[in-house]
Amino acid sequence: MKQVIFLLFPGVEILDFAGPLQTFMEARNRGCDLTVDCCSWQTEIRSSHSVFINRLDHFSGIRPQQGDILVIPGFPYHQYAGNGMEKVPDEVFHWLRRAYNKGAELCSVCTGAFALAHAGLLDEKSCTTHWQRTRALQRDFPRLNVRTDCLFVHDAGIYTSAGIASGIDLALALVEKHWGPHVTCRVARDLVVYLRRDGGHHQQSIYLSFRDHIQPVVHRIQDWLISNPGKTYTIDSLARRFGLSPRNLTRTFKKATGITIKAYATLLVLEHARTLLQDPGQSVEAVAVQCGFHDGRQLRRLWKKHFGTTPGEARHGACLV
């Protein structure tokens, strides 16, 4: 069971906290094996918007371990600028360093990066924060490599995000990393958000692409196609399955996603084949059959058309695009 731990500073920004919190709670509701704890060095704190959060656990009673996720939501910069971090007990920063050394993933939202920097955890690492504070972060901590061009940055087990709504993007990326793209897609739909991903973080996933719409029937069709990558079907049979006419099916799907059902299904099959090819015990012929092809030649032709090389070359790392 993975722990997701929120370390809350007095003055916490509500959305920095609530966005990722809701994301992880939805993931738990979707069956992900995680617990959520909220802690501070005070049992009650007042947020930046005068909302009180109480009955908080004391951070010292929580022991982050390998693979746990520790999140520091943002707080008003002026409250901790200059010597403001002196308001925070030194034990908090010792605790953060111990958690990192134990193998926990540390994450900051917005100005939470200043806490990680003060703890010395961002030295020589790439990081980011809210665009209004990137210059201040670089000025106050010159050993950091502060980036201004991304939603979030990952470097050596530490994630920093640009703040406010980007905390949701970061939380979704972590859900995908630990529990996979299928559940992440469902969580994003539960939150009614568009999945955005930092270009330098992970390669684009077909399971998450073409889902920035709110058409329930198209989402159900995409879910079915994802779950049945090697199943043979026709537009007519697919239309009957989802209670649409063939014409309405093709029109609705194209309007919602921007691509045709055939093009989308082809990308899914290729991604499924890519996953199966990672198993050295499976031949290209066997992979082709599992993906719904008659033989390996069909898979090789389609792979060559899309990637300019062969499945065999991809298996040896020549075509991981």
Side-chain angles (χ1 to χ4, degrees), residues 155-181:
D155 193 341
I158 297 182
Y159 296 80
T160 53
S161 70
I164 315 300
S166 69
I168 298 174
D169 298 297
L170 172 56
L172 286 169
L174 289 166
V175 171
E176 182 193 0
K177 175 184 176 182
H178 293 289
W179 293 282

Side-chain angles (χ1 to χ4, degrees), residues 132-202:
Q132 291 180 321
R133 302 302 178 196
T134 51
R135 292 179 64 183
L137 184 62
Q138 188 69 79
R139 180 197 65 223
D140 294 349
F141 302 95
R143 296 182 64 186
L144 278 53
N145 175 24
V146 180
R147 294 181 56 183
T148 62
D149 57 347
C150 49
L151 291 170
F152 56 87
V153 178
H154 173 222
D155 193 341
I158 297 182
Y159 296 80
T160 53
S161 70
I164 315 300
S166 69
I168 298 174
D169 298 297
L170 172 56
L172 286 169
L174 289 166
V175 171
E176 182 193 0
K177 175 184 176 182
H178 293 289
W179 293 282
H182 292 186
V183 69
T184 307
C185 183
R186 290 181 172 88
V187 169
R189 286 169 53 195
D190 291 340
L191 297 173
V192 197
V193 298
Y194 168 46
L195 279 155
R196 302 177 298 176
R197 310 177 75 209
D198 177 76
H201 181 61
H202 287 297

Side-chain angles (χ1 to χ4, degrees), residues 15-311:
L15 187 53
D16 287 0
F17 167 46
L21 174 65
Q22 184 73 26
T23 302
F24 287 115
M25 293 300 290
E26 293 292 345
R28 192 181 70 171
N29 294 340
R30 285 288 182 177
C32 296
D33 53 341
L34 64 91
T35 62
V36 176
D37 295 293
C38 300
C39 66
S40 185
W41 57 95
Q42 301 174 191
T43 57
E44 180 179 272
I45 64 173
R46 183 176 183 173
S47 77
S48 62
H49 297 89
S50 298
V51 174
F52 284 88
I53 304 170
N54 57 24
R55 297 185 181 181
L56 293 167
D57 294 328
H58 196 274
F59 72 91
S60 62
I62 299 175
R63 298 285 187 269
Q65 300 296 321
Q66 175 78 36
D68 289 340
I69 300 170
L70 200 164
V71 184
I72 306 176
F75 36 76
Y77 171 73
H78 63 82
Q79 200 166 325
Y80 294 91
N83 296 324
M85 284 294 172
E86 294 179 358
K87 305 171 187 174
V88 183
D90 289 340
E91 290 78 7
V92 172
F93 301 109
H94 296 321
W95 181 74
L96 288 172
R97 288 189 287 267
R98 283 196 301 272
Y100 182 63
N101 291 333
K102 285 284 188 179
E105 293 177 321
L106 303 190
C107 311
S108 67
V109 183
C110 195
T111 49
F114 284 83
L116 292 176
H118 187 82
L121 290 164
L122 295 180
D123 289 353
E124 313 301 334
K125 293 183 177 67
S126 294
C127 59
T128 193
T129 186
H130 191 282
W131 63 269
Q132 291 180 321
R133 302 302 178 196
T134 51
R135 292 179 64 183
L137 184 62
Q138 188 69 79
R139 180 197 65 223
D140 294 349
F141 302 95
R143 296 182 64 186
L144 278 53
N145 175 24
V146 180
R147 294 181 56 183
T148 62
D149 57 347
C150 49
L151 291 170
F152 56 87
V153 178
H154 173 222
D155 193 341
I158 297 182
Y159 296 80
T160 53
S161 70
I164 315 300
S166 69
I168 298 174
D169 298 297
L170 172 56
L172 286 169
L174 289 166
V175 171
E176 182 193 0
K177 175 184 176 182
H178 293 289
W179 293 282
H182 292 186
V183 69
T184 307
C185 183
R186 290 181 172 88
V187 169
R189 286 169 53 195
D190 291 340
L191 297 173
V192 197
V193 298
Y194 168 46
L195 279 155
R196 302 177 298 176
R197 310 177 75 209
D198 177 76
H201 181 61
H202 287 297
Q203 90 180 14
Q204 188 72 15
S205 168
I206 180 55
Y207 300 119
L208 302 180
S209 299
F210 309 106
R211 304 297 294 248
D212 55 329
H213 60 83
I214 54 173
Q215 286 287 344
V217 67
V218 177
H219 280 303
R220 292 197 297 272
I221 294 166
Q222 288 175 294
D223 289 342
W224 187 87
L225 291 170
I226 287 171
S227 300
N228 297 275
K231 191 175 182 66
T232 301
Y233 62 89
T234 64
I235 293 296
D236 286 347
S237 66
L238 198 62
R240 286 194 300 273
R241 176 179 292 274
F242 292 97
L244 300 171
S245 70
R247 184 168 180 269
N248 193 26
L249 169 67
T250 54
R251 180 183 61 81
T252 302
F253 191 95
K254 177 69 179 294
K255 182 178 180 180
T257 65
I259 63 173
T260 64
I261 294 174
K262 181 180 180 180
Y264 182 72
T266 297
L267 294 174
L268 290 176
V269 166
L270 289 170
E271 183 63 24
H272 185 51
R274 186 201 305 274
T275 300
L276 295 175
L277 286 168
Q278 294 176 7
D279 180 358
Q282 295 212 59
S283 67
V284 173
E285 298 292 330
V287 169
V289 170
Q290 293 177 72
C291 291
F293 297 103
H294 293 300
D295 52 42
R297 286 180 298 177
Q298 283 188 306
L299 174 59
R300 290 185 182 94
R301 283 197 298 269
L302 187 62
W303 198 280
K304 182 76 172 179
K305 178 181 177 180
H306 279 262
F307 302 128
T309 185
T310 68

